[in-house]
Amino acid sequence: MKSNEYYISTPDAILKLFKINLSENKAFKDLVYPLVRSKNFLKIKREQMAINSNKSHILISNESLIKIYNAVLLQGFFADTKRIKDIFMSQAKRKESAEFLDLVVSGRQSILAIEIQSKELTSLIAKLRSKEFDLCNEKLPNPFKELPQLSLNGITSVMQTLLAQSALLTQDESMMIHFFNNDLEKAYASSSLLTSNHPTLFAYQTHIKQKYNEAIEFDNLLDNLLK
């Protein structure tokens, strides 16, 4: 172990970074721990709770504190742990996420009880788009006055909040949200009604239609093989 390296418990890390007590916020805790436990994501170690105990504390290296900070902020938009990891690992996924936030979230001051600070959101989107920004070692701006994970009972991300407001969304917003929620059928239905000539939306419309048609062709192939 390096001499300048130390480890901190997960609750202490969240308290230090966000001033939030995990023991008092079960829904938030249930989102944080999958990130912490996720294989090959953070630098962690396990410390046995007591002699002859099978349970252990998960300790996070100080080297990973900025990474968990950024992951928790991104989780406020996208609750899915795999998507968060993909944003850290793939420049293409970072770009996708930035496009989603720019097209669907940017310009909104609030989404239900979630207050969004537009200046910080604009900066966050710009940093996600930048290839030079290091998500593991540089903090993203925090666009939330209160984390979505804490704002609403049972709804823990901006994505889920927008889905709950689906009747109020435009077709382009619906298409993007359903696509990012991995609901290809609903994304395709919205894409078929899209009239915008925005180049990014048109690119997603084309991509979604292609993916949907490929899925239909594959299903038809399976049906024929099983006859």
Side-chain angles (χ1 to χ4, degrees):
M1 185 185 300
K2 298 175 184 177
S3 59
N4 64 344
E5 184 178 28
Y6 66 88
Y7 285 79
I8 185 173
S9 72
T10 300
D12 285 346
I14 296 301
L15 186 63
K16 177 179 180 179
L17 295 170
F18 295 100
K19 305 295 186 288
I20 295 169
N21 192 329
L22 275 186
S23 65
E24 297 174 1
N25 297 276
K26 185 180 184 304
F28 185 33
K29 179 180 178 180
D30 290 344
L31 288 168
V32 168
Y33 271 97
L35 280 172
V36 175
R37 294 190 185 103
S38 189
K39 189 175 180 181
N40 299 325
F41 185 54
L42 302 178
K43 186 172 184 180
I44 63 171
K45 71 176 183 179
R46 296 177 184 271
E47 187 176 79
Q48 193 175 16
M49 287 185 178
I51 298 173
N52 298 324
S53 172
N54 293 324
K55 295 182 179 181
S56 59
H57 296 292
I58 301 176
L59 306 179
I60 303 172
S61 168
N62 64 305
E63 293 180 9
S64 290
L65 290 181
I66 290 178
K67 193 171 185 179
I68 189 63
Y69 177 86
N70 288 340
V72 168
L73 286 187
L74 292 170
Q75 199 174 52
F77 294 108
F78 313 103
D80 181 57
T81 298
K82 183 181 183 304
R83 181 174 294 280
I84 303 303
K85 289 182 67 177
D86 286 345
I87 293 171
F88 277 84
M89 296 173 64
S90 165
Q91 188 64 39
K93 291 297 182 183
R94 276 178 63 167
K95 182 184 175 184
E96 271 189 8
S97 300
E99 287 172 346
F100 173 87
L101 296 177
D102 194 19
L103 289 166
V104 180
V105 183
S106 186
R108 298 174 185 264
Q109 292 184 327
S110 66
I111 302 172
L112 290 183
I114 302 170
E115 291 187 60
I116 296 172
Q117 302 174 102
S118 58
K119 183 179 178 181
E120 285 76 7
L121 177 61
T122 299
S123 179
L124 181 146
I125 292 169
K127 290 181 185 301
L128 284 178
R129 282 181 167 148
S130 171
K131 293 181 180 179
E132 285 71 40
F133 185 78
D134 185 352
L135 265 178
C136 297
N137 293 299
E138 299 176 69
K139 277 188 175 182
L140 287 168
N142 183 356
F144 304 115
K145 289 194 175 180
E146 182 181 52
L147 290 174
Q149 296 94 314
L150 307 175
S151 297
L152 296 168
N153 184 29
I155 300 178
T156 56
S157 71
V158 167
M159 175 81 76
Q160 291 176 342
T161 306
L162 289 168
L163 284 168
Q165 292 183 299
S166 58
L168 303 177
L169 299 174
T170 63
Q171 291 301 333
D172 56 325
E173 290 170 339
S174 293
M175 180 185 75
M176 295 293 288
I177 289 166
H178 291 311
F179 177 67
F180 272 76
N181 197 44
N182 299 317
D183 193 331
L184 188 57
E185 189 169 348
K186 287 184 179 179
Y188 175 78
S190 295
S191 74
S192 300
L193 300 172
L194 189 69
T195 57
S196 172
N197 58 2
H198 190 291
T200 302
L201 288 172
F202 179 75
Y204 273 96
Q205 180 188 43
T206 303
H207 179 67
I208 288 166
K209 287 184 174 181
Q210 179 184 348
K211 287 290 183 184
Y212 181 79
N213 289 329
E214 287 174 356
I216 293 297
E217 288 175 6
F218 183 70
D219 285 346
N220 290 338
L221 177 62
L222 284 181
D223 289 342
N224 291 330
L225 288 173
L226 295 173
K227 284 182 179 178

